[in-house]
Amino acid sequence: MTEHEASVDASVISDDPDWWRQAAVYQIYPRSFADSDGDGIGDLRGITSRVPYLRELGVDAVWLSPFYPSALADGGYDVDDYRDVDPRLGTLDDFDEMVAALHRAGIRIITDIVPNHSSNRHEWFREALAAGPGSPERDRYVFRDGHGPHLDQPPSDWESMFGGSAWEPTDDGQFYLHLFAPEQPDFNWHHPDVRADFLKTLRFWSDRGVDGFRVDVAHALAKDLSHPLPTHAELEATRLVTDGSHPLWDREELDEIYAEWRAVFNEYDPPRIAVAEAWVAPSRRHRYAAETSLGQAFNFDLLRDDFDAGDFRRTIADNLVFARESGSSNTWVFSNHDVVRHATRYGLPDDQGQDGAVGRAWVLSGGQTPPLDRDRGVRRARAATLLMLALPGCAYLYQGEELGLHEVAEIPDDARQDPTFFRSPGVDRGRDGCRVPLPWVADAPAFGFGPADASYLPQPEWFREHAVDVEASDPDSTLSLYRRALALRRELQAAETLTWAEHGDDPEVLAFDRPGGWRVVTNFRPRPVPMPAGDVLVASGPLDEASDSPGARELPGETTVWLRVAPSVD
Ligand code: NOJ
């Protein structure tokens, strides 16, 4: 144990090494959670002040998006210094206090680690620019000479994920690679300094009591940049190959990198955990989720499904198999800081495409077209979430979804922050709409986000009705639903198995059992169906008596129930 570790407050956290397998993890976007000092930006002390809220919500862990020093070219995913706290968000002492408060409340903490790229203000990148072409300093990143007759053309036609060229020129005729914004130069993971420095960072935060790491673009670190470089079209056409041969994504060399990380995680008791953000073919996810690697990987399949019984069933069944194959547990997620909130996605017309396309189109239109049915969106989001919270595995929740928040489309252009907006002027309105600071108190400036009159991203007036104080006093609110479900979930997650059940032969009703006499039923139809047998423990919406036959109960449309039934004899 290091000296620092010894000083971290004694916690009530158990030392169960498997705590992560079925945890409910709540994602905090620190700048938008709670502001303690009145600068309109959320901070670490703000998080500490809301630990009682997190405890009452009933989550097992929080995952913090980056809080490191950063110019915020990409909301903090452009890191200047991996082993410090952004002064606008606090200090390392504030961090320690926050960890201690979380642990005292029985809540673990996962921090975001961003290994594919640093910011262009990172010490190493500044040294690389100053040292010039051919220097060892440049070798920690990916610099190449210009091409073309005047050597002023980028080395390839690659486009960055945020639009525009993936190569940025320097003043001395070279270009550097950035898969994301130009302020996010990609590291060269063949360089021993890069590898050693990240091991140091993992130990730094683990020693401070961090329980695990969310690994940003985990599938991008290893790259094959040997010549000739393929074209952008060739890269795109082979993006999801499953043999590790893509020059940029999901290469075999990653195994070796993450084996080194695993050795560091296992230096701790209990071992630190990690979850990979890896947008790879589902059949490759097990590589990241293996216990010799990061141990867990996000499954974004449900997030991409429409609200459809068949899609949900297929996704769940496939992922149960993937989890078995990797030995890891399932991960489920509907919303995060990168996607249109699921209450909004589900409130848009069904027939306009999957994969979030319809949500993006709505944001793009400033919330005008296609029309959003707000109530339906929330009804379906509640049903989907209650279903998801009953699945075996780990549930990742995103701040504000417990309030039934919709995406905010009406952010003025001059207030927007997200590089995806600036890199594609007017075309992609970006991800700010799910990052608007939370409403805590209906009748307070900035809805209680902090002492200031306003927050750094403007909150819409309709946030008032979703404020925590309003929802906490309403037994039918989305917040009350999450609290009830998360409390019951602890009991329900005793084992990791699921058995499909039938509800008549209705393909639009999904039903499954969990060990111990739990039955979960979701009616995906807009119309009611007969209520399944069993005692209702929690329902995602009001359960009305059927109007035409007194006494007969129905399961309303787009609603999930958890029922207590006689345990099956297995
Ligand atoms: C994934 C993160 O979730 C996203 O917010 C970020 O922009 C990119 N990685 C680049 O770091």
Side-chain angles (χ1 to χ4, degrees), residues 169-186:
T170 62
D171 291 342
D172 48 31
Q174 284 207 305
F175 287 76
Y176 66 85
L177 179 70
H178 58 90
L179 293 185
F180 293 89
E183 295 86 351
Q184 293 168 297
D186 281 46

Side-chain angles (χ1 to χ4, degrees), residues 224-303:
D224 175 9
L225 297 174
S226 49
H227 276 271
L229 296 176
T231 64
H232 186 72
E234 285 163 349
L235 283 184
E236 285 301 294
T238 53
R239 201 183 175 96
L240 288 182
V241 290
T242 52
D243 60 0
S245 66
H246 195 280
L248 301 182
W249 308 111
D250 191 29
R251 294 185 61 77
E252 300 296 315
E253 301 95 285
L254 289 167
D255 287 348
E256 200 193 306
I257 294 172
Y258 294 135
E260 281 183 359
W261 289 32
R262 171 51 56 193
V264 172
F265 300 150
N266 290 350
E267 288 167 9
Y268 294 85
D269 180 20
R272 297 325 188 217
I273 69 125
V275 54
E277 186 220 18
W279 294 84
V280 296
S283 64
R284 299 276 291 177
R285 219 177 274 145
H286 67 94
R287 297 182 54 241
Y288 304 84
E291 65 177 346
T292 50
S293 181
L294 295 174
Q296 200 182 47
F298 280 121
N299 140 35
F300 295 116
D301 303 345
L302 267 189
L303 183 156

Side-chain angles (χ1 to χ4, degrees), residues 31-314:
R31 288 175 179 78
S32 304
F33 187 66
D35 171 22
S36 72
D37 59 9
D39 63 0
I41 304 174
D43 47 41
L44 301 188
R45 284 177 176 233
I47 297 172
T48 306
S49 73
R50 297 294 181 184
V51 167
Y53 172 79
L54 297 166
R55 189 191 174 115
E56 203 172 344
L57 184 58
V59 294
D60 302 302
V62 291
W63 145 32
L64 263 56
S65 280
F67 48 80
Y68 314 108
S70 167
L72 303 184
D74 180 19
Y77 284 89
D78 46 321
V79 180
D80 297 351
D81 180 348
Y82 289 88
R83 296 187 285 273
D84 206 349
V85 173
D86 187 327
R88 285 164 294 187
L89 271 67
T91 62
L92 282 169
D93 285 344
D94 293 336
F95 182 86
D96 294 341
E97 272 173 39
M98 176 188 68
V99 173
L102 285 163
H103 281 176
R104 275 196 304 271
I107 300 170
R108 299 180 196 262
I109 169 165
I110 295 172
T111 56
D112 222 306
I113 193 105
V114 189
N116 178 64
H117 43 264
S118 70
S119 84
N120 58 348
R121 307 195 320 171
H122 189 282
E123 187 188 0
W124 279 358
F125 192 73
R126 287 190 275 113
E127 284 172 9
L129 285 184
S135 61
E137 287 83 353
R138 288 218 166 169
D139 204 25
R140 293 184 182 127
Y141 293 88
V142 183
F143 282 87
R144 292 287 183 274
D145 291 334
H147 281 209
H150 308 293
L151 302 180
D152 59 354
Q153 295 303 307
S156 70
D157 68 343
W158 296 354
E159 287 170 28
S160 83
M161 301 294 291
F162 293 158
S165 173
W167 296 98
E168 187 72 3
T170 62
D171 291 342
D172 48 31
Q174 284 207 305
F175 287 76
Y176 66 85
L177 179 70
H178 58 90
L179 293 185
F180 293 89
E183 295 86 351
Q184 293 168 297
D186 281 46
F187 278 120
N188 168 19
W189 270 86
H190 297 291
H191 200 296
D193 287 357
V194 174
R195 291 170 76 134
D197 200 61
F198 271 91
L199 299 182
K200 189 169 168 187
T201 296
L202 295 174
R203 289 196 181 96
F204 179 87
W205 294 109
S206 298
D207 287 348
R208 295 195 104 88
V210 159
D211 300 285
F213 301 92
R214 177 264 190 190
V215 185
D216 191 63
V217 271
H219 55 312
L221 276 47
K223 299 179 181 77
D224 175 9
L225 297 174
S226 49
H227 276 271
L229 296 176
T231 64
H232 186 72
E234 285 163 349
L235 283 184
E236 285 301 294
T238 53
R239 201 183 175 96
L240 288 182
V241 290
T242 52
D243 60 0
S245 66
H246 195 280
L248 301 182
W249 308 111
D250 191 29
R251 294 185 61 77
E252 300 296 315
E253 301 95 285
L254 289 167
D255 287 348
E256 200 193 306
I257 294 172
Y258 294 135
E260 281 183 359
W261 289 32
R262 171 51 56 193
V264 172
F265 300 150
N266 290 350
E267 288 167 9
Y268 294 85
D269 180 20
R272 297 325 188 217
I273 69 125
V275 54
E277 186 220 18
W279 294 84
V280 296
S283 64
R284 299 276 291 177
R285 219 177 274 145
H286 67 94
R287 297 182 54 241
Y288 304 84
E291 65 177 346
T292 50
S293 181
L294 295 174
Q296 200 182 47
F298 280 121
N299 140 35
F300 295 116
D301 303 345
L302 267 189
L303 183 156
R304 296 201 257 205
D305 283 342
D306 280 342
F307 186 79
D308 177 89
D311 288 358
F312 270 51
R313 183 171 175 137
R314 203 169 25 254

Side-chain angles (χ1 to χ4, degrees), residues 8 115 128 178 208 223 234 258 271 372 443 476 509 537 553 555:
V8 169
H178 58 90
R208 295 195 104 88
K223 299 179 181 77
E234 285 163 349
Y258 294 135
L372 171 67
D443 292 316
D476 297 325
V509 178
L537 296 170
R553 294 183 72 202
L555 177 59

